[in-house]
């Protein structure tokens, strides 16, 4: 057991944890922040993606003790209560989610992507989220959602959210 | 343009209303099964077999039981005391919950460890020592039928071989007669490989048995909560757990695609343990367990043949199938259809004769198979007909688009009786294909292809013009374990005109909370925003068979319409009473009744609902609630025309999908945004088996790609930018003319992609390649045939 202090969504938590406790289990089961999901056991799916000191990481592949002294942001901390982050708005407006299971991880990954590259091309978005699997949406609308969020963050005119048909 | 009868404020059909369910999902407030935490909850982990076929000599649990936190280790012998070691499958076969003596596939459940924490349960699992006596497994379904093959299911009385069932449709003799006289006969042997739905959420449950009340609450990842409640009652009734004492709750589900229809052993063990210890038990499988042990899809070996005139008029088709079901038939098909709806294999073409026969066998693979986002084996059928149609085009040197157009069932032929007996409800196949050809500039692409071929470049164009069959189904033919495949809706409108509606189905991402509300809004004029939709709780929702096989809109969606129309009839009576006119003098527009010729005399639906509680006519029942159980008169037949363009590197054979246009006909569209989203997602699950996914086993029975590290689910990089559109031919028998759409693209896309790749490789004389088609497979095929 080890005592660790992790700041999660702006609140510091000091707790005794087992050395082997995965960060994702710390988030989900110790702090009861269940927006971060588990979709695999091989760091492949990205459903557990969070920000660790501002960098997106798969929290199933980090031990809680490794996050000692660091800051974490989860989907629950993406926007102040009562408001939506541009990504949350983008996903809703563009039908960027179906079952919602991959969505928090996808948004956390995209938030770092937009931080580093505020105006990504479609290709850069697709490669940028290629560590996150979605089984429902076929990704078209996830790309649109991230483009929408990028425009919103840049303060530009928002792209249409109407579906386009051939 | 899709016409809307209602205003945006009401948001009935045709509006791209933003989804009501999204608010919780985007804020991390979804409630999936692993998010459930109950006081005193125990955790279960499962010991699995490393062998595909072995005798269990001994299970030593001593070390596991010494681990702090481990409460119990459950084996098949423990369950045998309660006669819970076997359970029925949905196909009336039998499946082990836990084995007492033999394991039948790698990763089969062998024992369950119960502990006070997830980590202790995993420690316990590692400490259980099982001694096996391995046997040589049967992995090849053809070898399963050999006389010298070991009998895999001696537990089944009188079983002397590994054959499960034979099924056939059509006339063997008439078909043979057509084939023997035809100008042209083409034939291909195809394998539609074993794949896995791999929904991003795995399966799991929390079984919560209350000893005092003798009541079980079962939170589980199920697409069919009501049917599951009945199954639990049938399996556990003998230990006192009867149906009124069982509540199944299907919380938010992180994708289903058919994989969450079956009852897996883990669920049953969790119930049994909770029943014995009186505490809640959580079981959440990990991804590798999910891929290795939960129901597979497909695994059909198909011989497809087509007979035609030399001009290309299709005369007959013939299909022979060998279905590899693993060690038990745990498919999820309607009872009378062990091969599902495969007999829609005659396709979108007008010809009179077809014959299909299928045999299913046991092997030492995991049991199944489920749908993988398709209506009961329709993907296999569509792949076979669409590939063999292209094969005919190649044989006679005719453009595959032209061949299809010349053979299509024409729009005035609907309702159309197919050679194998289905009554296709509606379609306009020519319009669909022409729209797709225009959108992608088919003629331009063919011209480009000619030029590219001159330069030695590999470019292919593939078409799939498919007909689906969904919405199971009419009670005269469709049941699961005897329960007819109707579905249900219950609408309760509160005095202030706001409603709650409950359904027997269960969304796994399809957006029912939005689309069902829109259907009711369309019928009653109550804004969809004010209609709360609930599903998945057997204590509150009306009985229904659940969501799979694109059945929710055709069945429960129709039930919502019928229930709403009952309420509109009641509203009309109340309006006549309040306005002091006869019912015939009233006319309806969404949201209100007004007097014909005197539109200023009207009552809104909200006023009429309020009157139903406060000022209803004497003799009329108070309240404003209705329920309907909808028994569809026929299935629905969505269709599509898909065209795919691929470029293949002539040296590495890397395949690039350049463009993919999908034109779907799902009848009237409830929410264009959601329909398009379903098509996008289905297309990615179409490219997946076409180019990437296959569960691979070696001869010793080991799965070679049982994790997401090596089972390649497409990412945003592999998934092309999909281009979609629609034609609309309403289903004539569905009350709002809708047909269902969620699975069409998964069904239609693989042959479009395969046809495009084969088209590109036709310069080498290639006529067929089994999916998934990979650069390596292309290289090998060309190498083996001396082409490179």
């Amino acid at each position: 057991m080890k005592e660790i202090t992790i700041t999660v969504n702006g609140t510091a938590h000091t707790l005794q944890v087992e050395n082997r406790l995965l960060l994702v289990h710390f988030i989900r089961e110790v702090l009861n922040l269940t927006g971060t999901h588990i979709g695999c056991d091989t760091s492949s799916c990205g459903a557990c993606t969070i920000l660790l000191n501002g960098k997106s990481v798969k929290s199933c592949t980090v031990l809680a003790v490794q996050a000692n002294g660091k800051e974490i942001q989860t989907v629950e901390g993406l926007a102040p209560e009562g408001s939506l982050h541009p990504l949350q708005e983008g996903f809703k407006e563009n039908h960027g989610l179906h079952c919602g299971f991959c969505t928090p991880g996808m948004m956390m990954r995209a938030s770092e992507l937009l931080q580093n590259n505020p105006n990504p091309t479609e290709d850069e978005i697709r490669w940028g989220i290629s560590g996150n699997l979605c089984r429902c949406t076929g990704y078209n609308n996830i790309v649109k959602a991230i483009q929408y969020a990028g425009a919103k963050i840049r303060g530009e005119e928002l792209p249409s959210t109407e579906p386009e048909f051939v | 343009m899709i016409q809307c009868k209602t205003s945006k404020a009401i948001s009935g059909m045709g509006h791209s209303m933003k989804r009501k369910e999204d608010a919780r999902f985007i804020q991390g407030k979804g409630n999936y099964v692993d998010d459930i935490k109950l006081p005193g909850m125990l955790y279960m982990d499962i010991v699995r077999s490393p062998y595909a076929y072995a005798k269990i000599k001994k299970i030593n649990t001593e070390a596991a039981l010494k681990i702090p936190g481990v409460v119990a280790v459950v084996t098949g012998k423990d369950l045998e005391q309660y006669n819970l070691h076997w359970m029925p499958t949905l196909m009336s076969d039998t499946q082990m919950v836990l084995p007492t003596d033999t394991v039948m596939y790698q990763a089969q459940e062998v024992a369950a460890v119960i502990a006070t924490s997830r980590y202790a349960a995993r420690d316990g699992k590692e400490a259980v020592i099982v001694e096996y006596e391995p046997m040589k497994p049967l992995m090849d379904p053809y070898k399963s039928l050999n006389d010298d093959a070991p009998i895999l299911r001696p537990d089944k009385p009188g079983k002397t071989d590994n054959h499960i069932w034979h099924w056939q449709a059509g006339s063997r003799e008439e078909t043979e007669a057509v084939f023997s006289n035809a100008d042209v006969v083409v034939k291909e042997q195809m394998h539609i490989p074993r794949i896995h739905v791999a929904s991003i959420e795995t399966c799991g449950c929390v079984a919560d048995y209350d000893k005092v009340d003798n009541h079980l609450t079962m939170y589980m990842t199920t697409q069919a909560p009501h049917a599951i409640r009945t199954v639990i009652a049938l399996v556990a009734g003998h230990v006192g757990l009867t149906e009124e004492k069982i509540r199944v709750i299907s919380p938010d589900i992180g994708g289903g695609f058919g994989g969450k229809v079956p009852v897996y052993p883990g669920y049953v063990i969790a119930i049994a343990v909770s029943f014995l210890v009186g505490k809640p038990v959580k079981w959440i499988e990990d991804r590798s367990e999910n891929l290795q042990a939960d129901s597979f899809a497909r695994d059909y070996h198909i011989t497809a043949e087509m007979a035609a005139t030399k001009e290309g008029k299709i005369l007959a088709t013939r299909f022979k199938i060998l279905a590899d079901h693993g060690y038990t038939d745990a498919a999820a098909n309607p009872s009378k259809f062990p091969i599902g709806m495969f007999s829609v294999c005659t396709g979108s073409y007008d010809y009179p004769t077809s014959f299909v026969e299928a045999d299913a066998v046991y092997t030492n693979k995991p049991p199944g198979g489920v749908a993988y986002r398709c209506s009961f084996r329709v993907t296999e059928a569509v792949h076979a007909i669409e590939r063999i149609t292209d094969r005919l085009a190649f044989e006679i040197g005719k453009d595959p688009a032209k061949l299809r157009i010349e053979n299509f069932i024409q729009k005035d032929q609907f309702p159309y009786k197919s050679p194998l007996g289905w009554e296709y409800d509606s379609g306009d196949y020519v319009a669909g294909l022409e729209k797709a050809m225009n959108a992608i500039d088919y003629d331009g692409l063919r011209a480009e292809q000619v030029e590219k071929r001159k330069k030695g470049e590999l470019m292919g164009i593939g078409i799939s013009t498919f007909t689906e069959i969904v919405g199971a189904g009419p009670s005269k033919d469709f049941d699961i374990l005897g329960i007819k495949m109707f579905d249900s809706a219950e609408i309760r409108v509160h005095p202030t005109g706001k409603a709650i509606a409950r359904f027997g189905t269960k969304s796994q991402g399809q957006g029912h909370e939005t689309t069902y509300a829109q259907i009711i809004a369309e019928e009653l004029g109550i804004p969809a925003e004010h209609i709360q939709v609930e599903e998945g709780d057997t204590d509150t929702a009306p009985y229904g068979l659940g969501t799979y096989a694109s059945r929710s809109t055709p069945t429960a969606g129709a039930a919502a319409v019928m229930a709403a129309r009952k309420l509109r009839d009641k509203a009309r009576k109340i309006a006549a009473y309040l306005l002091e006119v006869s019912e015939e003098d009233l006319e309806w527009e969404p949201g209100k009744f007004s007097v014909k010729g005197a539109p200023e005399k009207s009552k809104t639906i909200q006023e009429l609902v309020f009157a139903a509680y406060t000022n209803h006519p004497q003799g009329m029942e108070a309240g404003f609630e209705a329920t309907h159980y909808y028994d569809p008169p026929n299935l629905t037949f969505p269709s599509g025309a898909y065209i795919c363009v691929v470029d293949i590197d002539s040296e590495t054979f890397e395949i690039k999908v350049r463009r993919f246009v999908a034109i779907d006909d799902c009848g009237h569209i409830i929410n264009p945004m959601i329909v398009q989203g379903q098509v996008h997602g289905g297309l990615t699950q179409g490219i997946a088996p076409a180019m990437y996914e296959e569960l691979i086993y070696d001869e010793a029975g080991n799965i070679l790609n049982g994790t997401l590290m090596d089972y390649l689910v497409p990412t945003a990089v592999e998934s092309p930018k999909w281009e979609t559109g629609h034609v609309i031919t309403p289903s004539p028998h569905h009350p709002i003319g809708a047909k269902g759409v969620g699975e069409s693209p998964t069904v239609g896309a693989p042959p479009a992609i395969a046809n495009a790749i084969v088209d590109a490789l036709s310069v080498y004389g290639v006529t067929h390649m089994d999916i998934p088609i990979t650069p390596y497979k292309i290289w090998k095929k060309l190498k083996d045939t001396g082409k490179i």
Side-chain angles (χ1 to χ4, degrees):
Chain A
M1 299 292 278
K2 183 175 163 65
E3 186 178 282
I4 57 169
T5 300
I6 305 180
T7 302
V8 181
N9 301 329
T11 306
H13 299 267
T14 301
L15 289 157
Q16 294 278 331
V17 299
E18 248 190 291
N19 291 346
R20 63 174 177 170
L21 182 71
L22 295 175
L23 182 56
V24 69
H25 288 143
F26 176 79
I27 294 167
R28 287 181 49 81
E29 299 189 2
V30 179
L31 301 183
N32 293 318
L33 294 170
T34 54
T36 303
H37 298 144
I38 301 170
C40 74
D41 47 2
T42 48
S43 311
S44 309
C45 80
C48 63
T49 305
I50 54 129
L51 297 186
L52 182 62
N53 281 357
K55 277 195 163 324
S56 58
V57 299
K58 293 179 177 178
S59 63
C60 71
T61 317
V62 179
L63 295 169
V65 294
Q66 289 176 288
N68 187 20
K70 294 183 178 161
E71 289 200 13
I72 280 176
Q73 193 186 40
T74 69
V75 65
E76 290 90 345
L78 201 49
E81 204 169 323
S83 66
L84 293 181
H85 185 277
L87 277 163
Q88 291 171 314
E89 187 182 311
F91 272 72
K92 179 173 167 62
E93 293 298 316
N94 293 282
H95 191 28
L97 63 147
H98 293 189
C99 78
F101 201 77
C102 76
T103 313
M106 199 65 88
M107 292 191 300
M108 298 317 288
R109 170 62 200 132
S111 75
E112 193 207 359
L113 175 73
L114 291 176
Q115 196 83 38
N116 296 339
N117 182 357
N119 194 4
T121 63
E122 173 167 350
D123 222 32
E124 286 169 340
I125 293 173
R126 286 182 180 270
W127 281 100
I129 58 168
S130 63
N132 292 66
L133 295 176
C134 169
R135 199 56 157 164
C136 301
T137 66
Y139 302 104
N140 267 34
N141 289 345
I142 292 180
V143 173
K144 258 178 96 177
I146 296 170
Q147 287 169 331
Y148 175 102
K152 178 134 189 169
I153 292 167
R154 296 192 303 274
E156 292 171 9
E157 193 187 332
L158 295 175
S160 162
T161 63
E162 283 301 303
E164 291 163 27
F165 297 106
V166 298
Chain B
M1 270 303 284
I2 293 161
Q3 302 295 323
C4 301
K5 285 189 208 152
T6 58
S7 64
K8 195 163 180 196
I10 293 174
S11 276
M13 283 178 60
H15 289 280
S16 284
M17 184 186 187
K18 306 301 178 192
R19 297 202 322 171
K20 292 155 66 96
E21 44 271 84
D22 286 358
R24 65 179 185 275
F25 294 136
I26 57 175
Q27 296 182 87
K29 300 296 180 193
N31 183 36
Y32 302 91
V33 71
D34 198 16
D35 302 342
I36 294 164
K37 207 177 196 180
L38 300 178
M41 189 169 77
L42 300 172
Y43 294 79
M44 183 171 98
D45 212 329
I46 291 177
V47 179
R48 292 176 184 273
S49 170
Y51 297 106
Y53 191 32
K55 291 273 176 220
I56 297 172
K57 291 171 71 178
K58 193 175 175 202
I59 300 176
N60 187 334
T61 61
E62 213 172 294
L65 287 167
K66 283 185 185 149
I67 288 173
V70 171
V71 175
V73 180
V74 180
T75 66
K77 299 273 187 208
D78 299 322
L79 294 183
E80 192 176 15
Q81 295 171 38
Y82 304 93
N83 196 26
L84 285 172
H85 54 316
W86 285 86
M87 63 179 179
T89 71
L90 295 177
M91 300 314 293
S92 301
D93 205 330
T94 51
Q95 178 171 5
M96 293 178 215
V97 177
L98 285 173
T100 50
D101 49 34
T102 311
V103 287
M104 299 297 290
Y105 66 94
Q106 189 183 56
Q108 184 180 340
E109 300 81 358
V110 172
V113 178
I114 317 298
T116 52
S117 78
R118 196 185 289 264
Y119 283 59
R122 181 56 62 100
D123 288 341
K125 166 182 170 160
E126 300 299 330
V128 172
I129 299 161
V130 186
E131 288 176 41
Y132 297 95
E133 185 184 313
M135 298 182 282
K136 187 174 163 43
L138 261 176
M139 301 307 288
D140 180 338
Y142 287 96
K143 288 184 183 162
S144 267
L145 291 174
N146 290 351
D147 290 342
D148 60 349
I151 309 302
L152 293 182
R153 296 296 304 274
D155 57 285
K156 292 172 82 84
K159 198 79 190 132
T160 56
D161 59 23
N162 295 316
H163 185 260
I164 313 175
W165 46 258
H166 174 85
W167 184 90
Q168 65 182 58
S171 164
R172 185 192 301 272
E173 295 74 22
E174 284 171 27
T175 306
E176 175 52 33
V178 176
F179 267 82
S180 55
N181 292 315
D183 301 339
V184 186
V185 170
V186 287
K187 180 177 183 177
E188 288 290 353
Q189 175 69 33
M190 309 172 187
H191 182 217
I192 316 288
R194 186 172 274 243
I195 53 175
H196 200 282
V197 299
S199 52
I200 304 298
E201 179 200 38
T202 61
C203 295
C205 68
V206 179
D208 183 17
Y209 178 71
D210 182 329
K211 277 193 170 181
V212 175
D213 289 338
N214 180 31
H215 183 276
L216 172 73
T217 305
M218 182 68 175
Y219 305 87
M220 70 186 276
T221 46
T222 177
Q223 299 175 220
H226 296 276
I228 294 293
R229 187 188 66 196
T230 303
V231 169
I232 296 172
L234 292 173
V235 173
H238 68 281
V239 293
L241 207 48
T242 49
E243 198 162 1
E244 84 284 10
K245 295 291 190 184
I246 303 165
R247 178 184 188 184
V248 175
I249 296 177
S250 187
D252 286 328
I253 294 191
F257 314 115
K260 289 170 181 167
V261 174
V263 177
Y264 295 117
Y267 297 134
V268 180
I269 306 166
I271 293 171
V273 173
S274 183
F275 186 79
L276 292 174
V277 303
K279 286 186 176 176
V281 175
K282 178 186 269 194
W283 167 64
I284 306 292
E285 63 182 4
D286 67 30
R287 168 61 55 195
S288 301
E289 294 176 291
N290 172 262
L291 283 173
Q292 294 169 25
D294 288 0
S295 280
F296 70 91
R298 318 277 192 264
D299 216 351
Y300 270 21
H301 298 261
I302 303 173
T303 310
E305 294 174 277
M306 180 174 269
T309 66
K310 57 184 183 302
E311 293 78 23
K313 173 81 194 110
I314 301 171
L315 301 173
T317 49
R318 184 160 57 191
F319 302 91
K320 188 172 170 59
I321 297 131
L322 185 66
D324 181 348
H325 270 280
Y327 95 87
T328 179
D329 183 357
N333 288 322
S335 304
K336 288 183 195 157
F337 300 90
I339 193 172
M341 310 287 103
F342 187 91
S343 56
V344 77
C345 58
T346 53
S348 307
Y349 314 109
D350 179 24
Y351 59 94
T353 313
S354 186
F355 178 67
V356 186
E357 64 178 326
D359 292 276
V361 295
Y362 293 125
T363 60
N364 287 111
K365 293 181 195 162
V370 295
Y372 188 105
R373 201 168 183 158
C374 98
S375 177
F376 312 121
R377 303 293 188 179
V378 175
T379 313
E380 291 90 326
V382 163
H383 201 81
I385 182 69
E386 288 304 299
R387 275 267 57 244
I388 202 68
T389 300
D390 253 42
R391 179 72 185 80
L392 175 66
F394 179 82
E395 187 73 17
I396 62 171
K398 185 169 250 183
D399 182 278
K402 193 163 189 290
L403 181 84
R404 284 175 166 83
I405 288 171
E406 287 173 3
N407 282 284
F408 275 149
I409 300 160
Q410 298 297 307
K411 67 178 176 188
D412 57 6
Q413 287 179 274
F414 292 94
Y416 176 84
K417 196 87 170 170
S418 82
L420 296 175
W422 300 111
E423 187 178 293
Y424 291 12
D425 57 353
S426 67
D428 188 346
Y429 301 150
V430 176
L433 182 52
E434 285 180 347
K435 188 167 185 177
M437 289 168 75
N438 290 334
I440 207 161
D441 184 19
Y442 185 77
D443 294 339
L445 287 169
R446 284 290 176 206
E448 182 192 343
Q449 187 181 40
V450 170
E451 293 307 310
K452 288 226 152 129
R453 282 183 175 169
K454 285 180 192 160
K455 292 188 276 182
E457 293 178 25
L458 297 175
M459 168 190 167
I461 305 154
I463 300 173
S464 159
T465 48
F466 63 91
T467 296
E468 253 241 277
I469 174 170
V470 307
S475 61
K476 64 182 180 341
D477 289 324
F478 289 87
D479 70 272
I480 288 181
L481 293 176
I483 301 165
K484 301 295 186 182
M485 295 183 74
F486 57 84
D487 224 296
S488 61
E490 177 207 80
I491 305 171
R492 299 181 177 188
V493 189
H494 313 311
T496 56
K498 315 289 192 273
I500 187 162
R502 295 188 171 108
F503 296 83
T505 49
K506 175 64 200 174
S507 180
Q508 309 122 42
Q510 293 89 337
H512 290 177
E513 289 170 45
T514 307
T515 51
Y516 284 155
Q518 287 184 265
I519 291 173
I520 296 167
E522 175 84 4
E523 295 296 325
L524 287 179
I526 295 171
E529 182 192 356
H530 293 309
I531 299 163
Q532 175 83 17
V533 169
E534 279 187 12
E535 300 173 293
D537 183 342
T538 57
D539 265 13
T540 56
Y543 201 100
L545 270 274
T547 292
Y548 42 85
S550 289
R551 69 187 298 279
S552 297
T553 295
T555 60
V561 177
M562 304 310 278
R565 287 181 186 169
K566 288 179 193 172
L567 291 175
R568 201 166 68 200
D569 288 345
K570 183 166 190 172
R572 181 186 287 273
K573 289 189 169 61
I574 299 170
Y577 168 72
L578 295 178
L579 294 166
E580 297 178 338
V581 293
S582 73
E583 288 180 45
E584 296 72 41
D585 292 333
L586 292 169
E587 61 189 358
W588 169 257
E589 65 183 279
K592 72 177 171 188
F593 276 109
S594 48
V595 178
K596 284 177 191 165
E600 73 286 354
K601 287 184 73 181
S602 67
K603 289 285 173 191
T604 66
I605 186 73
Q606 288 78 11
E607 290 169 323
L608 297 168
V609 171
F610 193 66
Y613 290 91
T614 59
N615 183 24
H616 60 286
Q618 288 303 302
M620 176 187 274
E621 255 188 275
F624 207 75
E625 301 183 356
T627 304
H628 193 88
Y629 289 77
Y630 187 77
D631 181 1
N634 188 7
L635 295 133
T636 56
F637 295 79
S639 59
Y642 293 178
I643 306 182
C644 171
V645 191
V646 299
D647 296 297
I648 302 176
D649 187 289
S650 58
E651 290 179 357
T652 65
F653 304 111
E654 185 187 358
I655 306 157
K656 173 96 183 138
V657 175
R658 189 203 305 176
R659 284 186 73 191
F660 195 111
V661 169
I663 304 299
D664 277 279
D665 179 359
C666 61
H668 278 316
I669 290 174
I670 299 161
N671 181 321
M673 177 191 80
I674 288 178
V675 165
Q676 187 187 49
Q678 288 294 309
V679 173
H680 288 160
L683 290 171
T684 294
Q685 280 191 298
I687 197 175
M691 290 174 58
Y692 303 106
E693 295 180 13
E694 176 180 11
L695 292 167
I696 305 168
Y697 293 84
D698 68 12
E699 279 187 12
N702 300 302
I703 184 162
L704 301 184
N705 57 348
T707 78
L708 277 186
M709 297 269 277
D710 33 27
Y711 184 84
L712 212 169
V713 170
T715 73
V717 173
E718 285 79 37
S719 191
K721 183 172 183 175
W722 307 110
E723 300 170 67
T724 71
H726 42 259
V727 295
I728 295 172
T729 63
S731 173
H733 64 76
H734 187 276
I736 50 172
K739 291 181 178 175
V741 74
E743 298 163 334
S744 286
T746 307
V747 168
I753 297 164
N755 286 346
I757 296 170
V758 171
D759 181 50
L761 300 174
S762 64
V763 294
Y764 292 112
V766 172
T767 60
H768 177 74
M769 289 199 68
D770 275 339
I771 55 170
I773 307 178
T774 61
Y776 171 75
K777 264 197 196 170
I778 296 174
W779 175 82
K780 189 160 187 333
K781 179 150 193 128
L782 298 182
K783 196 84 181 161
D784 288 352
T785 51
K787 305 291 185 188
I788 53 168

